[in-house]
Amino acid sequence: MIKVEVYDHLSRQLTEARREKWIAILKGFCLILVMLVSGMASALVYNRLVILIPTIGIFISSIVMYKRLDIESKVQVLKVLVHGAKGEAELRKTLKRGLGDDYTCFFGIPVDGKGDFDCLVIGPDSVFAIESKHHGGIIDERDEDLVQIKIGRRGSFYPGKLKRPVWQLGSTIHKFKEMLKEEKIDVWMEGLLVFTNSDARVRQGKIRNVTVVRKDKLCTWIAAGAQNKTSKKQQDALITYLLGLTV
């Protein structure tokens, strides 16, 4: 497998999310420290009973600052990004183990500034647009898309956070093909939605124009080739275009 890194968007997002989280925590800590020092100073100057006032102030300001800095949501965003990074890391390992040098893999393809492909695989006569998901639990088909059903500690079922992955991948492919048309490049791309979490229970098959596949079957599916083939000339034009996107 020949690997080409186009845009390492996930690493940059992780770095930014971590930075925002720690800045928010540091601001909150500084405010509490200031309130604490003010309270101790008041107690020394007046009397010990006065320390109750700044103590209450510290407690209230901590709650207000926690909400205002939105630390909880920043931590949640970071968790989502880390989860996505695990999926992309599993995808890379799977492709590296299962594909030979006659396949070229482009990672992090930006699309119209609003989305991206985790990976674009160009094989001997096929092109695959791959999106990885690291969600676990039961992945079920509903309304021509997929939903996640998680199992609680007591055996109860509740909905997960998987949001229309089939539609998202199909939409991204459509936007990318529109971009290629502006460059007079016309290639067929097979959409592959791969679940990289070994705990995911997913039924493989085609939904709309996207094929849902488990991690262990991904390379076998790619090796079988896409439904519609692409010529060497089309592939060379696509590779030249993608190399122009590398940063």
Side-chain angles (χ1 to χ4, degrees):
M1 180 195 86
I2 301 173
K3 171 187 170 184
V4 180
E5 196 75 49
V6 177
Y7 184 76
D8 194 3
H9 68 100
L10 197 57
S11 295
R12 299 186 187 193
Q13 286 180 325
L14 280 168
T15 301
E16 183 64 23
R18 289 191 180 104
R19 188 182 69 85
E20 288 186 5
K21 184 193 78 170
W22 286 112
I23 288 176
I25 292 174
L26 184 60
K27 286 180 179 178
F29 176 77
C30 290
L31 178 69
I32 292 172
L33 185 62
V34 169
M35 292 292 295
L36 184 61
V37 171
S38 300
M40 292 175 65
S42 299
L44 290 172
V45 173
Y46 298 101
N47 57 66
R48 293 182 181 178
L49 292 177
V50 180
I51 200 171
L52 289 174
I53 298 174
T55 300
I56 295 172
I58 292 171
F59 178 74
I60 294 174
S61 64
S62 299
I63 295 175
V64 172
M65 185 55 68
Y66 184 84
K67 295 293 184 182
R68 188 170 182 180
L69 293 175
D70 207 10
I71 295 175
E72 188 173 357
S73 70
K74 288 180 172 62
V75 171
Q76 188 59 38
V77 168
L78 185 58
K79 285 181 179 179
V80 171
L81 290 172
V82 169
H83 198 69
K86 289 179 180 178
E88 292 193 21
E90 284 296 322
L91 173 63
R92 290 168 188 246
K93 286 194 292 186
T94 301
L95 294 174
K96 184 177 181 180
R97 286 195 300 260
L99 298 182
D101 289 341
D102 49 346
Y103 290 89
T104 303
C105 298
F106 289 85
F107 293 96
I109 310 294
V111 179
D112 200 23
K114 297 180 181 179
D116 71 290
F117 291 127
D118 287 345
C119 181
L120 205 64
V121 176
I122 301 176
D125 58 4
S126 305
V127 178
F128 296 92
I130 303 177
E131 176 71 16
S132 63
K133 295 295 180 185
H134 200 61
H135 297 70
I138 301 169
I139 310 299
D140 195 22
E141 182 178 350
R142 188 174 300 171
D143 298 328
E144 293 189 311
D145 215 311
L146 295 175
V147 294
Q148 179 191 28
I149 302 172
K150 303 186 77 172
I151 304 173
R153 293 180 180 177
R154 298 182 180 180
S156 59
F157 296 92
Y158 63 97
K161 296 181 179 180
L162 188 64
K163 295 181 180 179
R164 304 181 68 191
V166 172
W167 179 87
Q168 288 176 0
L169 179 54
S171 176
T172 304
I173 290 174
H174 175 73
K175 290 177 182 176
F176 188 64
K177 291 190 74 172
E178 290 297 315
M179 291 168 57
L180 292 178
K181 282 183 181 179
E182 295 179 3
E183 303 296 326
K184 295 181 171 49
I185 301 172
D186 184 21
V187 295
W188 171 265
M189 283 181 282
E190 184 100 3
L192 292 180
L193 182 63
V194 56
F195 283 85
T196 56
N197 194 324
S198 57
D199 293 330
R201 285 187 270 170
V202 57
R203 184 174 61 183
Q204 298 184 125
K206 189 175 284 289
I207 303 176
R208 298 182 184 179
N209 291 322
V210 171
T211 300
V212 181
V213 62
R214 295 191 302 271
K215 177 182 68 174
D216 58 319
K217 300 295 183 182
L218 175 62
C219 291
T220 301
W221 199 282
I222 293 174
Q227 183 177 5
N228 294 313
K229 308 303 181 183
T230 56
S231 67
K232 182 69 165 56
K233 183 179 180 181
Q234 290 172 319
Q235 290 190 353
D236 288 345
L238 178 58
I239 290 174
T240 300
Y241 173 78
L242 292 172
L243 289 174
L245 298 177
T246 56
V247 293

